[in-house]
Amino acid sequence: MFRKTFTGSLVAASLTAGALLTMPSASATPTFVSGTNVSGVGNLPTDADFAMAENGTAVATWIRDGRVVAASRPAGTWHTDYVTAPGTVVSNPTVSTNDKGETVVAWMQTDQFDDIRVAAARMDAEGNFPDPQLISTAGSPDVQAPLDAAVDGKGKLFVAYEISNGGGFDQVRVSTLDKAGTADTKSVSGTSAHQPSIAVNTAGQALIAYNEEYNADDVINTRRFDPSNQTWSATKSVGLVGKYTTESDVALGDDGFGTVVYGKKVDADFRAMTSTSKPDATLGGAVYASPAGYTAAFFSVDQNDKGAALVSYTRIGGGNYVGYTQRATTTGNWTNPAIVSGALSGLSASHATISDSGFAFIGFDDNEHQRAAYRSSVIQNMTTYDSGDTNYVYGGTGVGSDNQGNVLFAGIIHSADPAKGFISAKILDTAGPTSTVSAPASSVGTTFKVSRAASDRFSNLGNGSIRVRSAKWDSNLGNPTIISSNSAATSLDFTGKPGYTYCFSSLAKDSHANTGAWSAEKCTTVAHDDRHLFNAKKFKRVKSGAAYQGTLSKATTKNAKLILQDLKVRKIAIVVKKSAHGGKIKVSFGGKKLGTYSLKGKGSKQVINVKDLGSVKTGTLVIKVISKSGKTVKIDGVIATR
């Protein structure tokens, strides 16, 4: 699912006259780890927009000195590039990125015939934006602000906008641009439609909402794009014709379910409402998202791939406040509306983002401060943040989040000197490091090395821990035990027991005490010694300094057997010693022959890989000598990997 872009330019709300979140598995101490000057100091940037990819890539765009500029932070540092050439008439840039960090900037541009059109440029591997192109249809009527854009899993850009001739013709269109550079434009509304919002998902499905007038009344309409047949669905209205706000906002998950938030006049107030857009384009029932007795405006919605959603808005009445509501799943109930701010000095727009980890964040600006509220679970109180009086430009704030819950919180900062403004981008690090552990799949020896590694997108690494679960060959894995706790060491020598399986996992902290989740397990099986094998017939135990655990089981008689009962195993291997007069063995498990193997050759502690059973099975292992008497068979052990 792709995070919808959050336009920094404050668009006036037009009031027309006519859950439980998923608790992260790791502990976190959210910390702002940077306050980077992205743009460099210069003439005051305007029209900023920001987004963040699932993989942690942060992107921004703005206008300075009449040119569209963009910056990205794929790994560690920001890279800035001019998108448009000097002398081009541009406005209203917006930036979009998909899960992989594939990024496109779109903007409005006057062409050679003085018509206002949509233009776009794609970010390359170096973070630059070469080859901008006009992508909307040439000729009048002109494109109107604002643009809303999103990028699908194949890097295809969708831009929604309104066109108007200034004389009663107002239509919503969507222009697309694929990675091959092919552009296309479709009209999706009638001739009295306004202010669209669009979202896309990984599969390339799109959801659009917009206000459409019907005589003296209006409605919020929606349509869905189906990438399988490249068509838009029939129009679906969120409710009956009435009085609706011009603005709406949408979010769309990878499962095809979407959320629409909009304002409808109820009694004397415009209340925020939500509807669910289903994959078949039908709409779920409307639900109030703001309380009665107040008007709501400046809607923002985000939805993660688990269906959890967060809506924010400005509550107007008795003072202005940022309000919000949350939902745990696509079909879940919305929580009671609440406020997260004190009284605002103006009608500030807020921006909502909720990550796949369930971390919810609402950001806004007010009275030259940046402010935020966030939490990882509704059982927690909202943590609030105030930047202090640091000259943030009104309406210049935006947010985004990655799949770990880290948040981009950015905005424009001005100075008394108009030549010294810049773009500031903070990262709220909410996630601990991602950890991995390494250990051998098997060991013909009781001591072996276990190592851990970790990486963090935004902070330095701290200490880490390793834990282990163990099981005897005929038992299930037990509960984990910590074997290295909060240590700077990244490896240790572990000593196990013959015939046991050990499964290791690790975690790490970052320098801000965020603790990551336990890694996936890596399991090591210590070989059974031959003394674990029941000597059914004609094998003898002999001492050998070169053998595993100092002994071998030797037979020179046909039909000699070694047996291991109640074995829980997926992969079977036999440890043998070969010789010039080596014999041949047949290996069976659960009464089924797995194969025959020659022990003729050279070398002690040779490992013969017998069979991968495909899943863990329980049965009896039988090793039987099938060569004629006089040939030597030496068995050193069995590796029974889970």
Side-chain angles (χ1 to χ4, degrees), residues 574-596:
I574 309 297
V575 184
V576 303
K577 182 176 181 180
K578 294 187 176 182
S579 65
H581 299 285
K584 184 179 291 188
I585 58 173
K586 180 178 74 173
V587 181
S588 302
F589 181 76
K592 295 182 179 180
K593 176 183 173 182
L594 301 183
T596 60

Side-chain angles (χ1 to χ4, degrees), residues 16 119 187 220 254 284 394 407 425 429 438 565 574:
T16 60
S187 297
I220 301 296
D254 278 349
Y394 183 65
V407 175
D429 186 353
S438 59
Q565 295 177 317
I574 309 297

Side-chain angles (χ1 to χ4, degrees), residues 462-476:
N463 291 340
S465 301
I466 300 174
R467 67 183 184 181
V468 65
R469 297 192 297 152
S470 63
K472 195 178 176 182
W473 71 85
D474 58 356
S475 303
N476 296 320

Side-chain angles (χ1 to χ4, degrees), residues 592-626:
K592 295 182 179 180
K593 176 183 173 182
L594 301 183
T596 60
Y597 306 93
S598 172
L599 273 59
K600 186 176 181 180
K602 295 181 180 180
S604 60
K605 287 191 286 192
Q606 295 286 305
V607 176
I608 298 174
N609 293 313
V610 174
K611 185 73 173 180
D612 185 340
L613 302 174
S615 62
V616 176
K617 293 179 168 52
T618 301
T620 296
L621 176 71
V622 178
I623 302 170
K624 181 179 180 181
V625 177
I626 59 173

Side-chain angles (χ1 to χ4, degrees), residues 197-235:
S197 174
I198 194 166
V200 304
N201 63 13
T202 304
Q205 298 170 330
L207 169 65
I208 191 170
Y210 51 89
N211 175 286
E212 190 150 12
E213 298 177 17
Y214 290 94
N215 299 319
D217 291 321
D218 50 21
V219 73
I220 301 296
N221 281 332
T222 67
R223 296 187 73 178
R224 303 277 300 234
F225 179 75
D226 184 349
S228 66
N229 55 26
Q230 298 292 299
T231 60
W232 288 89
S233 67
T235 301

Side-chain angles (χ1 to χ4, degrees), residues 274-575:
T274 68
S275 295
T276 299
S277 176
K278 301 176 182 179
D280 64 359
T282 60
L283 294 169
V287 176
Y288 290 117
S290 68
Y294 304 93
T295 280
F298 306 122
F299 309 117
S300 178
V301 61
D302 194 25
Q303 177 181 317
N304 68 18
D305 285 337
K306 298 178 181 178
L310 175 68
V311 168
S312 69
Y313 51 85
T314 301
R315 198 192 77 179
I316 304 168
N320 304 324
Y321 299 84
V322 172
Y324 77 103
T325 183
Q326 300 173 191
R327 183 189 69 202
T329 64
T330 305
T331 58
N333 296 324
W334 292 94
T335 60
N336 291 328
I339 59 173
V340 296
S341 72
L344 305 174
S345 62
L347 291 174
S348 177
S350 62
H351 309 290
T353 183
I354 183 168
S355 74
D356 289 345
S357 71
F359 190 84
F361 185 97
I362 300 169
F364 55 99
D365 54 61
D366 180 57
N367 197 25
E368 301 194 349
H369 295 219
Q370 263 195 337
R371 292 178 175 161
Y374 54 86
R375 63 183 176 184
S376 58
S377 168
V378 294
I379 65 173
Q380 301 171 331
N381 293 323
M382 281 282 192
T383 297
T384 58
Y385 168 80
D386 189 330
S387 67
D389 189 2
T390 50
N391 301 321
Y392 277 95
V393 171
Y394 183 65
T397 286
V399 304
S401 62
D402 66 12
N403 58 1
Q404 296 178 347
N406 303 302
V407 175
L408 169 67
F409 192 26
I412 306 171
I413 293 182
H414 71 86
S415 169
D417 182 346
K420 292 186 178 180
F422 63 93
I423 300 289
S424 171
K426 302 184 183 76
I427 298 293
L428 180 65
D429 186 353
T430 75
T434 300
S435 294
T436 59
V437 67
S438 59
S442 61
S443 178
V444 185
T446 54
T447 300
F448 52 91
K449 188 175 292 294
V450 179
S451 300
R452 66 173 184 87
S455 61
D456 193 276
R457 286 176 179 167
F458 301 109
S459 298
N460 295 324
L461 294 174
N463 291 340
S465 301
I466 300 174
R467 67 183 184 181
V468 65
R469 297 192 297 152
S470 63
K472 195 178 176 182
W473 71 85
D474 58 356
S475 303
N476 296 320
L477 289 165
N479 294 323
T481 300
I482 303 294
I483 56 175
S484 176
S485 178
N486 195 30
S487 171
T490 58
S491 65
L492 57 84
D493 290 328
F494 182 83
T495 300
K497 297 178 180 179
Y500 278 68
T501 294
Y502 299 92
C503 292
F504 304 93
S505 55
S506 68
L507 60 70
K509 293 182 178 181
D510 66 20
S511 54
H512 301 284
N514 292 310
T515 303
W518 287 102
S519 70
E521 287 183 323
K522 194 77 170 181
C523 298
T524 301
T525 295
V526 180
H528 293 263
D529 185 40
D530 65 291
R531 284 171 288 188
H532 293 155
L533 306 177
F534 172 60
N535 186 349
K537 190 177 182 182
K538 301 177 181 177
F539 268 96
K540 294 182 179 179
R541 299 295 175 350
V542 296
K543 293 182 178 180
S544 170
Y548 173 52
Q549 296 288 295
T551 65
L552 291 167
S553 290
K554 178 180 177 181
T556 57
T557 305
K558 187 176 181 179
N559 296 325
K561 292 181 181 179
L562 292 174
I563 295 174
L564 184 59
Q565 295 177 317
D566 300 323
L567 182 65
K568 294 181 182 292
V569 63
R570 172 175 174 167
K571 295 180 180 180
I572 298 171
I574 309 297
V575 184

